[in-house]
Amino acid sequence: MFIKEYISEIAKATKSLWTGMKLTGHYFVRPKTVITQQYPDNRDTLKMADRFRGEVTMPHDENNQHACTGCTACELACPNATIKVITKFELTPENKKKKALDTFVYHLDMCTLCGLCVDACPSGAIQMGQNFEHSVYDRSTLTKKLNKPGSKIREGVE
Amino acid sequence: MYSLHAITNSVQNWLNARLSSTWVLIIESLIVIVLAIALFAALGLILVWLERKVAAHMQIRLGPNRLGPAGIFQTSADTLKLILKEGLTPDGADKFLFNFAPFVVMIVAMLLLAPIAFANGFQIWNINIGVLYISAISSLSVIGILIAGWASNNKYSLLGAMRSGAQIVSYELSAGLSILTIVVLTGSLQMTDIVQAQQNGWWIFKGHIPVIIAFIIFIIAATAETNRAPFDLAEAESELTAGFHTEYSGMKFALFFLAEYINIFIVCAIGATLFLGGWMPFHMGNWTQFNHVMDFIPSSIWFFGKTFFLIFLIMWFRWTFPRLRVDQLLNLEWKYLLPVSLFNLLLVTLIAIMNWHF
Amino acid sequence: MTNEVIKELVSGPLPSATFDESGEWLTIQIDAAQWKQLATLLYNAPYHFDYLFCLTCVDWKTHFTTVYHLTSTCHRQAIVVKAKVDRNDPQIETVSDIWKTADFHEREVFDLFGVRFINHSDLRRLILTEDFEGYPLRKDFEDPVNMIKL
Amino acid sequence: MYTETQIVNNSDDELVVNVGPQHPATHGVLHLVITLQGETIKKVEPHLGYIHRSIEKMCESLTYRQFIYATSRMDYLSAHINNHACALTVEKGLQIEVPQRAQYIRVIMDELTRIASHELWWGAMAMDLGAFTPFFYAFREREMITEIMEETCGARLTMNYMVPGGVMTDLHPDFQKKVKAFIQLFRSKIDEYDELVTGNIIFQNRMKGVGYLSKEDAISYGCTGAVARASGVSCDIRKLYPYDVYDKVAFDEILETEGDSFARYMIRMREMKESIKMIEQLIDNIPEGDYQAKTKAVLKLPKGDFYTRVETARGELGVYIVSEGATTPYRIKFRSPGFSNLSALDQMARGGKLGDLMATMGTLDLVIPDIDR
């Protein structure tokens, strides 16, 4: 009986090993199952999800206008002081003083891409961009000014 | 049958006609050394590339694919990198032994190349105790590993080396016993005789089930002797980081790496010679037509084809199985492989005596 | 086992303990000196609070409270014990011999708050380095290099 | 730390080996000082803190909306569940009623995260045992989950999708379709896992009877999750103290009684199937409605302390907030599951071989940032 057990043990072990080998062999002979994405080569076809959080951007329309009122809600919402909103006072046509955006400083190197600033923005002025290739040679280039030079706030955004 | 005798003989005759016999010997030795080193380099590059490709496709990846077609130059680039790297020697290491160990392992691997018949009439040294020579020399590589582990002055290395010692000493037994089955059947220790004995069929087909069992045991023991997963306890990446070669870098590491692959090639070549007929083509009984077609395929292709088949098998093991634990490793040898192979040897002896084999 | 029963059973041996039922679980507030006695009491039958699932400390600037969240795997009842620890000489009896999980948690509290656990077998810093000065989770901890004051 | 003299003066042929902080089997920067006698382990002593960022101290200066994102960095493999726990605590304090739709979304996301985490654990654990291939098979399926996450939440690992009162954005229109496709694929692939690893004789020998933890010890060491359930301790928070819609889903608490590494392994393998079952029940029944309750712009928790327990992929995560009525927590404590589970490692590994330590550590499913915080 001992011999029988001994042999059946060996047979069972061999079978379990063979099942595993069958699986790896199965994939070995089927090159179509390969899932590798050849990243820098597939850049043209690579499409990130719409909601992917790659960086904070401020969209400008064709008249070089944005929607930021300079309310600093994003600055307050940011957990790591990534955003610094510098405001100035502009004169409206009615000769009233009005707070407006001067510079929107964005430190990409400190950003954790949590999306809280976009969530907090009351006028939808900032968005999450899909760009994820952020590597640079000089760290100082990661401090960005989001509003384009000469841009103005869009009409009707309060 | 196509033979390489013509080439080797013509080289010898050409040299004999022009030089004294001493110079002939020296020049022939030089040719052999150059060929052996070239074979080493080529094998190293091809096997590493092959392993990476096999692994990649089993793991649903592509593997190296940037340098050259299908990445075949990747290993050359890696070798270049290893040559350019600084060869560090740790402060507390035994400097002489530390630098000596990779060469021991390498020299052993080179010595093992001598009696292997690569093709019909193409063999470095047709020694009449070929099989004995191989089993004697192959157990020397453990000394290199022990030296490396001890001299590194690293606890991981030491543990790895000790494991390797226990492992190789015990697996040598079942490897030797399974080799003996073929020696018993052939009645000769000479490699050429063993190959010639398989002219009418390979031993694995002629020798009934006992030889198949011996073949399986040989493959397991060979995997263990070359420290390959699932028996890679000497380097056990997740336990001992890199085991006995933790402290090695640059070219010294490359020598260990190369020796590992050369050892795989050699054990697989021995397996192919003993069980699968070496360079002998595949013959089927009295199908003369078929046998004739088979004879047209050069004997070297037969040899390398069989060897690479076995190498693929060993790679297949590596990329499928988890690693054994050190006590289970010894259990497997002493409780399963050794009794089975002893009993098996008895059966084979019976077959040989009664002439039951085909 | 209801809160009433626990209150009754605890206030017997520890008359100075106060109870607070405003939170999710019954909270027992005691002094540091009484903790070991209460812990042994709670661990044994009939309460059998065998599972210490959270051990932490709060710095109230005037004093510390070590907070123990206990539950019983048989009664599925949870209670909170808050022990008041003197801030100038923070020490409290260890419970790592009762609940083994307290071993690591007490070392963590010692590391970050500086509360010394008496009779703890291996009270060393767990997370920070041995030569670290100060106890970072205290409210008066200052680190001019790594901390930005808002 | 050991000084050189201590090592030299060790009696009984003991060998003190540092495993980590950089070691292939510690999955991060865990430092174990192990005392060996030959290959047998005499003692394991963890040294923590290599990735300590003092998240608890950081959170004391972050508002109740902001601190949630930081918790994704603790147990990054179950980031969703960490965020969920924090959101639940804030909701408990403010007594916000979360809309049904948000509750459903949260639970589905939690379970997807759990599967993704267990997939990674499975691959990494097989790697600890020396099998490299399972890692890639596990990542193939995990990739589908991360893609689903990326599409709906905007990130693959640190989602930051939960906000107090619900979830940040509504589900992506393709969400249900993709999750169903994933479930179908996963069901066909999970058998491969069994073929490749579970049934393998070498694997079973490495796992069975290794790293034994008794039921009493599991309770005493405060173990939770698969580690405790493998020893027969019923501790699934989802079952015992259901939160969100866990009380509406039918699922079993997976229990094993052997207490060894193989039991822990089986718990997690079975949990993956259980999670699939839960998602199947929920995915077609997500009610319409708001995905976020209306909350004030500035959240202030009332005075008092609040404790929430949730079941992450590794065990019980407790979030303890002490509030003084301000906009930031006065004191916050994360009771992380890995911390308690790690403390039982010494007990489990003693007397085993060096290889057993790796098997045990693999089945503990340690995530180092979760331990160090």
Side-chain angles (χ1 to χ4, degrees), chain B residues 79-190:
Chain B
T79 317
L80 191 67
K81 185 208 82 174
L82 283 170
I83 291 171
L84 295 176
K85 258 178 101 168
E86 186 188 356
L88 288 168
T89 308
D91 225 14
D94 186 324
K95 299 266 178 331
F96 172 69
L97 288 180
F98 184 80
N99 293 313
F100 180 57
F103 294 98
V104 173
V105 174
M106 202 64 199
I107 287 165
V108 167
M110 284 190 161
L111 284 175
L112 280 172
L113 216 58
I116 290 170
F118 291 96
N120 191 4
F122 199 80
Q123 194 177 9
I124 295 174
W125 188 20
N126 192 6
I127 180 178
N128 61 355
I129 49 160
V131 172
L132 184 66
Y133 173 85
I134 282 169
S135 42
I137 298 290
S138 67
S139 41
L140 283 179
S141 71
V142 69
I143 293 176
I145 291 174
L146 281 172
I147 292 176
W150 175 255
S152 292
N153 190 29
N154 179 316
K155 288 166 188 168
Y156 291 135
S157 306
L158 186 64
L159 279 170
M162 292 305 146
R163 283 178 174 192
S164 173
Q167 179 180 337
I168 290 183
V169 165
S170 36
Y171 277 81
E172 197 67 37
L173 283 170
S174 49
L177 284 173
S178 49
I179 288 174
L180 269 187
T181 56
I182 299 303
V183 173
V184 165
L185 284 170
T186 325
S188 168
L189 287 166
Q190 197 163 10

Side-chain angles (χ1 to χ4, degrees), chain D residues 68-357:
Chain D
I68 293 178
Y69 99 97
T71 59
S72 312
R73 273 84 184 163
M74 285 181 351
D75 182 355
Y76 49 82
L77 291 181
S78 43
H80 248 310
I81 314 181
N82 292 350
N83 295 350
H84 192 175
C86 297
L88 279 175
T89 323
V90 176
E91 282 151 17
K92 195 185 255 178
L94 293 170
Q95 294 178 339
I96 302 170
E97 184 64 34
V98 181
Q100 277 289 309
R101 185 177 173 80
Q103 292 191 14
Y104 272 75
I105 294 172
R106 281 177 170 187
V107 170
I108 293 171
M109 287 298 190
D110 277 7
E111 292 312 312
L112 281 175
T113 314
R114 197 182 313 278
I115 295 172
S117 170
H118 283 352
E119 294 257 18
L120 195 143
W121 156 80
W122 181 75
M125 183 224 49
M127 221 159 171
D128 282 350
L129 296 183
F132 290 87
T133 309
F135 195 72
F136 294 91
Y137 294 174
F139 263 61
R140 177 186 50 190
E141 274 81 66
R142 188 173 178 270
E143 182 66 20
M144 282 193 86
I145 300 181
T146 46
E147 259 163 32
I148 291 169
M149 292 291 180
E150 190 181 354
E151 206 173 55
T152 292
C153 315
R156 294 162 67 88
L157 197 68
T158 49
M159 288 74 139
N160 192 32
Y161 185 55
M162 311 278 182
V163 292
V167 292
M168 204 180 241
T169 45
D170 205 357
L171 288 177
H172 193 272
D174 286 346
F175 180 77
Q176 274 146 309
K177 201 176 79 197
K178 288 216 168 164
V179 170
K180 277 180 201 159
F182 166 74
I183 292 174
Q184 212 171 14
L185 181 104
F186 188 76
R187 280 190 191 272
S188 66
K189 296 290 183 195
I190 192 139
D191 295 335
E192 286 186 0
Y193 296 4
D194 291 340
E195 279 172 33
L196 190 60
V197 173
T198 317
N200 190 304
I201 181 83
I202 302 174
F203 176 78
Q204 292 200 352
N205 279 334
R206 284 293 302 272
M207 284 301 207
K208 280 187 178 160
V210 164
Y212 174 72
L213 187 71
S214 69
K215 188 175 177 178
E216 289 70 36
D217 278 335
I219 293 171
S220 183
Y221 276 109
C223 295
T224 44
V227 180
R229 287 201 284 282
S231 301
V233 184
S234 162
C235 63
D236 196 332
I237 306 294
R238 294 172 291 171
K239 199 88 191 167
L240 295 175
Y241 314 100
Y243 48 97
D244 281 351
V245 287
Y246 275 117
D247 48 351
K248 293 187 191 158
V249 242
F251 69 101
D252 297 324
E253 181 178 2
I254 317 278
L255 280 177
E256 300 260 348
T257 46
E258 283 84 4
D260 58 359
S261 291
F262 194 71
R264 290 190 280 276
Y265 171 85
M266 282 317 286
I267 293 261
R268 291 209 177 85
M269 293 307 274
R270 286 168 62 195
E271 247 180 32
M272 279 201 262
K273 292 176 191 161
E274 208 62 34
S275 292
I276 285 286
K277 240 197 265 170
M278 278 192 228
I279 296 169
E280 264 184 342
Q281 289 173 40
L282 294 171
I283 192 72
D284 282 323
N285 305 320
I286 304 175
E288 293 298 317
D290 289 339
Y291 57 84
Q292 204 182 92
K294 293 231 168 357
T295 47
K296 286 184 196 143
V298 178
L299 303 177
K300 278 186 185 174
L301 251 66
K303 219 172 145 148
D305 38 356
F306 308 95
Y307 194 98
T308 323
R309 320 160 78 172
V310 299
E311 182 80 15
T312 74
R314 259 145 284 280
E316 174 189 327
L317 172 75
V319 179
Y320 178 57
I321 295 183
V322 180
S323 170
E324 279 285 85
T327 54
T328 57
Y330 184 76
R331 161 95 175 105
I332 195 158
K333 156 88 185 168
F334 299 108
R335 181 256 187 243
S336 58
F339 188 74
S340 302
N341 289 352
L342 177 70
S343 65
L345 179 64
D346 183 34
Q347 171 85 16
M348 291 152 125
R350 258 180 214 213
K353 297 273 182 293
L354 186 59
D356 291 341
L357 175 71

Side-chain angles (χ1 to χ4, degrees), chain C residues 5 25 41 56 77 80 89 107 114 124:
Chain C
V5 180
W25 300 308
L41 189 72
T56 186
Q77 165 101 8
V80 187
D89 179 26
R107 275 177 73 183
R124 286 176 295 134

